Amino acid sequence: DVKVTQSSRYLVKRTGEKVFLECVQDMDHENMFWYRQDPGLGLRLIYFSYDVKMKEKGDIPEGYSVSREKKERFSLILESASTNQTSMYLCASSGDRRTEAFFGQGTRLTVV
Amino acid sequence: AQSVAQPEDQVNVAEGNPLTVKCTYSVSGNPYLFWYVQYPNRGLQFLLKYITGDNLVKGSYGFEAEFNKSQTSFHLKKPSALVSDSALYFCAVRDSPTGGGNKLTFGTGTQLKVEL
């Protein structure tokens, strides 16, 4: 079975902290994605990566950065967490464009 | 820029009746289209996709979807709904290589509620 694993299911952080969300996939997929999910807004793409060390901004990249040093791992970084970044964060990976993406279980981040 | 619209926040249907969840899209080139389902406190699960070929595609759990290029739509359908189909459904689009980019864009989701 394809597995996309996110390091935490629940996370509580303080305003101003630097936060790392980790995602690992075991299918040798080229593409990896970070989304946030908020009620009524669906899934909004933050960043994606199509190869090691390659990244592209999604629709809402402000306040976030990413790192992809190895093919299997894609990290989302909140440089200075703010309360409006409280959300569910979903990581996904996929092969080429024609293939479906596989999702992790999500990390519910609360910034207090 | 590519986009997906799911015009209904919620769809209610009686068990045993047919269901339709609507999706329209916008891309530069030819679309690759996907449907996903999310059950409470779970990640997204893939249901079906359209890449090329037959406009009617069949997927998991008895779901199917019809690609209509002229209407830029990809509606999800099931002939007979079950209470267990109640969940949040997302439509997604990816542009073909000729359209450029490699983004996977989702709609805002449609909550399906199937009642006895």
Side-chain angles (χ1 to χ4, degrees):
Chain A
D1 267 1
V2 173
K3 202 167 235 182
V4 179
T5 303
Q6 294 184 229
S7 51
S8 305
R9 288 296 302 272
Y10 300 94
L11 215 50
V12 180
K13 295 292 181 181
R14 295 194 178 277
T15 301
E17 275 193 77
K18 191 168 186 176
V19 181
F20 294 86
L21 302 183
E22 307 285 348
C23 176
V24 177
Q25 51 97 0
D26 65 358
M27 280 301 292
D28 201 36
H29 284 162
E30 299 91 0
N31 300 290
M32 296 188 75
F33 306 84
W34 274 108
Y35 295 88
R36 63 177 282 176
Q37 182 179 8
D38 300 288
L41 298 177
L43 272 69
R44 292 181 292 167
L45 182 62
I46 304 171
Y47 268 97
F48 66 102
S49 168
Y50 51 90
D51 202 349
V52 175
K53 296 190 187 294
M54 306 304 288
K55 61 186 179 186
E56 281 197 35
K57 292 180 180 179
D59 299 313
I60 53 164
E62 297 79 17
Y64 303 93
S65 62
V66 290
S67 172
R68 194 165 180 203
E69 295 296 318
K70 293 185 178 182
K71 191 174 187 180
E72 67 270 18
R73 187 180 296 269
F74 191 36
S75 302
L76 179 70
I77 304 156
L78 286 66
E79 297 290 343
S80 177
S82 64
T83 54
N84 63 12
Q85 293 178 310
T86 291
S87 187
M88 171 68 83
Y89 289 87
L90 295 172
C91 175
S93 73
S94 79
D96 68 37
R97 297 166 190 264
R98 299 163 297 177
T99 60
E100 60 270 25
F102 294 86
F103 281 81
Q105 290 292 82
T107 296
R108 186 166 293 282
L109 172 67
T110 302
V111 183
V112 297
Chain B
Q2 63 192 54
S3 64
V4 175
Q6 292 182 243
E8 301 153 318
D9 291 336
Q10 182 160 319
V11 169
N12 297 319
V13 65
E15 188 174 53
N17 283 0
L19 69 87
T20 298
V21 182
K22 295 179 181 177
C23 172
T24 58
Y25 66 89
S26 173
V27 293
S28 301
N30 292 316
Y32 297 149
L33 294 155
F34 305 85
W35 275 102
Y36 290 83
V37 61
Q38 186 179 40
Y39 297 100
N41 300 314
R42 303 283 299 275
L44 269 74
Q45 298 175 34
F46 167 74
L47 275 179
L48 51 79
K49 64 183 177 183
Y50 171 82
I51 303 301
T52 188
D54 194 347
N55 289 343
L56 184 66
V57 294
K58 294 185 184 297
S60 307
Y61 313 120
F63 284 94
E64 58 190 30
E66 186 164 14
F67 171 63
N68 187 317
K69 189 171 184 177
S70 63
Q71 296 185 7
T72 62
S73 67
F74 189 55
H75 301 331
L76 181 70
K77 300 183 181 187
K78 188 173 182 182
S80 179
L82 298 172
V83 171
S84 57
D85 292 329
S86 299
L88 186 57
Y89 290 80
F90 289 97
C91 182
V93 69
R94 218 160 174 180
D95 211 337
S96 62
T98 53
N102 198 15
K103 288 171 64 173
L104 176 61
T105 300
F106 282 80
T108 51
T110 298
Q111 185 71 47
L112 175 66
K113 189 173 182 182
V114 182
E115 297 168 311
L116 289 170

